[in-house]
Amino acid sequence: MPIETGTQAPGFTLKDQNNQEVSLADFVGEKHVLLVFYPFAFTGTCEGELCGIRDNLDSFQTDDVQVLSVSVDSPFAHKVWAQREGFEFPLLSDFWPHGAVAQAYGVFNDEKGMANRGTFVIDKSGVVRFAEMNFPGEGRDLAAWQKALDEVQA
């Protein structure tokens, strides 16, 4: 089960597709965060969801909100995928220790060694304001994310 709303979001530092470290702490006090866990790069449902973010990036990522996506893929796989798909938001690697951040958020799938489809809206103070988890093959409703972001920004 994903961590509950109203709880402090677990901190993390992961490498993005450019092998640069990105920390949740970088945004505390500055921006809300839309944190999107997905199973694997180069897979149909994941690609569709991240392309949905890319195609609507102005709606999700603003001066007040940062999009961060996370999977257990390596930064090198993320680099190729980001270049191929034109992703201009961080694709973070939860590669090693394997799935540690997904585990901290309660969305790691132990049987398959990957993150389930966890989505979190974290406010500027680092508190989880929206949390959901879908299983592999279950797509998510991006409109629900937008509603959660609208509420946290109100």
Side-chain angles (χ1 to χ4, degrees):
M1 295 300 298
I3 59 173
E4 294 184 15
T5 59
T7 61
Q8 194 69 30
F12 60 82
T13 300
L14 297 172
K15 291 194 176 184
D16 70 7
Q17 67 266 36
N18 297 311
N19 217 29
Q20 301 298 307
E21 289 187 346
V22 175
S23 296
L24 183 60
D26 296 342
F27 305 102
V28 173
E30 301 293 324
K31 291 186 174 194
H32 306 294
V33 173
L34 173 62
L35 182 62
V36 180
F37 288 89
Y38 59 96
F40 295 110
F42 301 102
T43 58
T45 304
C46 299
E47 189 167 306
E49 290 177 341
L50 268 64
C51 286
I53 294 171
R54 176 201 64 204
D55 295 346
N56 299 287
L57 193 57
D58 290 345
S59 297
F60 292 114
Q61 186 166 284
T62 66
D63 290 341
D64 215 29
V65 178
Q66 177 64 51
V67 172
L68 301 175
S69 64
V70 181
S71 80
V72 297
D73 295 296
S74 74
F76 310 107
H78 283 156
K79 179 74 169 180
V80 173
W81 200 36
Q83 287 175 335
R84 186 182 94 175
E85 297 300 330
F87 297 141
E88 296 180 1
F89 49 89
L91 305 180
L92 303 178
S93 175
D94 195 11
F95 184 76
W96 198 258
H98 190 74
V101 176
Q103 290 174 29
Y105 279 80
V107 298
F108 190 72
N109 186 321
D110 288 315
E111 284 181 30
K112 298 187 178 187
M114 64 184 194
N116 287 316
R117 296 178 192 292
T119 311
F120 302 89
V121 172
I122 302 164
D123 70 17
K124 290 180 183 181
S125 65
V127 174
V128 176
R129 297 296 174 193
F130 173 87
E132 72 172 358
M133 183 177 74
N134 296 51
F135 291 98
E138 294 178 4
R140 293 177 270 198
D141 179 9
L142 277 63
W145 308 351
Q146 189 60 60
K147 181 179 178 198
L149 288 170
D150 290 346
E151 288 173 4
V152 78
Q153 294 178 85

